[in-house]
Amino acid sequence: MRRKISAWPLLFVFFIIMFIVVPVGAFAASIGNPKTLGELGKVAIGLEYDNSNVDLTLNVASLSDGIFTESFGANNMRLMAKTTYVVGTIGVFPNVDVFAGVGMNKAKLEFATEYARDVPDDIKIEDNSNVAYKFGARAKLAEVGGVAIGVTGQYSAYTMDGHYLVNGQEIGNMYQGPAEQSTNMKISEWQAALTASKTMGRFSPYAGVTCSRISLKHDTTFHIIPSEGMSYDLSFKTEAKQENNLGAVFGTSVTVLNNFDINAEVRTGNQDAFTAAVNYRF
């Protein structure tokens, strides 16, 4: 007789690896309905749009001209992102799915600097469209009185290389000369959620608690060419993390056809976010 393999040890190892090995740090990623596909090898594909706003807390910020380095503070730091994904899901056990998504992201980071001697500057980094990705797993743990209890864990990330503006101006306008800029920023997120869902006809509303860890690493270098004198470089470095880690999620799925459903979700507490998605199950 063929021995039945349990999914739970593998799922436990998967979550441990995600927590320890993956670079912790992202923009907010959707949770989705905790229902699984319910069958080994079953496949689904979906299109997902996510709009999120996350408050961040500064860890480190500095300004350097290559000789002197000055640290500064920042407040009112907020990351705003709009992401569209194509997401594929496959059932690896009757109650366990894995999923991965890739898409395009457009983001903006805003904050106000706190210099000891100067008037605060309003900083804005606006991104061009860049590639975003995510992957994770979803499992149905139990069903009690028709209510399904599920858990989701996922990692998502993207980079930014947009424009760096100070009080609405390009940096070259402040130093009376042209300036070439190079911005590198990575935002990443690890997220876990415990949710409950109940199917009522074509509707499957769900709610739960979330825990996320978002981090940001940013480095912008300006090569400034003044009208008089020699050119020089200025380097801004910033590291930040999510201000609040715990939050809540509320959403619902609606089955339109037998294999086709739509999903809407809001997340609050640790972020202000909305997600809309359409899914087709093969």
Side-chain angles (χ1 to χ4, degrees):
M1 184 175 180
R2 193 173 181 178
R3 185 180 176 184
K4 186 177 180 181
I5 301 175
S6 173
W8 303 116
L10 294 178
L11 187 65
F12 176 76
V13 171
F14 176 83
F15 285 130
I16 293 298
I17 291 174
M18 285 186 64
F19 186 80
I20 296 176
V21 177
V22 173
V24 171
F27 57 103
S30 67
I31 300 300
N33 195 301
K35 291 196 308 179
T36 60
L37 296 176
E39 187 177 333
L40 173 64
K42 198 165 186 180
V43 175
I45 190 167
L47 182 65
E48 177 182 300
Y49 171 77
D50 187 78
N51 188 328
S52 64
N53 298 305
V54 181
D55 292 325
L56 303 176
T57 299
L58 183 71
N59 287 340
V60 178
S62 64
L63 167 63
S64 174
D65 61 3
I67 301 175
F68 300 102
T69 299
E70 178 183 1
S71 297
F72 61 91
N75 56 34
N76 301 323
M77 184 173 282
R78 192 164 181 83
L79 177 66
M80 293 151 279
K82 298 177 181 179
T83 312
T84 301
Y85 287 109
V86 175
V87 182
T89 305
I90 184 169
V92 293
F93 289 96
N95 290 321
V96 180
D97 297 341
V98 296
F99 58 87
V102 64
M104 299 301 295
N105 170 278
K106 189 173 181 63
K108 179 168 62 176
L109 175 68
E110 294 182 347
F111 61 93
T113 61
E114 296 176 339
Y115 293 107
R117 300 179 300 278
D118 301 327
V119 176
D121 291 322
D122 290 325
I123 307 297
K124 181 185 294 184
I125 304 175
E126 294 183 303
D127 181 42
N128 302 316
S129 296
N130 282 309
V131 175
Y133 65 90
K134 69 175 182 175
F135 59 86
R138 179 179 296 111
K140 177 182 174 182
L141 301 178
E143 185 165 336
V144 181
V147 176
I149 309 299
V151 62
T152 301
Q154 62 183 310
Y155 173 77
S156 54
Y158 67 94
T159 58
M160 287 177 64
D161 58 0
H163 298 289
Y164 190 105
L165 303 176
V166 180
N167 298 325
Q169 299 184 70
E170 295 282 353
I171 196 76
N173 297 334
M174 300 176 61
Y175 288 88
Q176 291 76 48
E180 300 173 354
Q181 77 168 57
S182 173
T183 295
N184 296 295
M185 185 184 304
K186 182 173 182 179
I187 299 97
S188 53
E189 176 185 18
W190 175 87
Q191 182 170 249
L194 180 66
T195 51
S197 172
K198 183 174 178 62
T199 299
M200 297 179 289
R202 292 185 175 270
F203 292 85
S204 297
Y206 60 92
V209 293
T210 65
C211 180
S212 60
R213 294 172 63 182
I214 296 175
S215 72
L216 174 149
K217 290 187 177 181
H218 155 254
D219 185 350
T220 293
T221 299
F222 299 99
H223 182 65
I224 299 172
I225 309 171
S227 55
E228 296 181 2
M230 297 179 62
S231 62
Y232 59 97
D233 291 340
L234 284 178
S235 179
F236 292 82
K237 295 181 183 292
T238 306
E239 293 185 13
K241 63 181 180 180
Q242 188 176 9
E243 189 172 278
N244 300 308
N245 299 112
L246 296 178
V249 57
F250 305 92
T252 188
S253 292
V254 182
T255 301
V256 180
L257 300 172
N258 287 339
N259 294 330
F260 180 78
D261 60 65
I262 59 177
N263 190 85
E265 173 184 297
V266 294
R267 301 182 303 281
T268 186
N270 52 5
Q271 58 190 266
D272 298 319
F274 169 78
T275 299
V278 293
N279 299 283
Y280 183 81
R281 300 183 301 278
F282 292 95

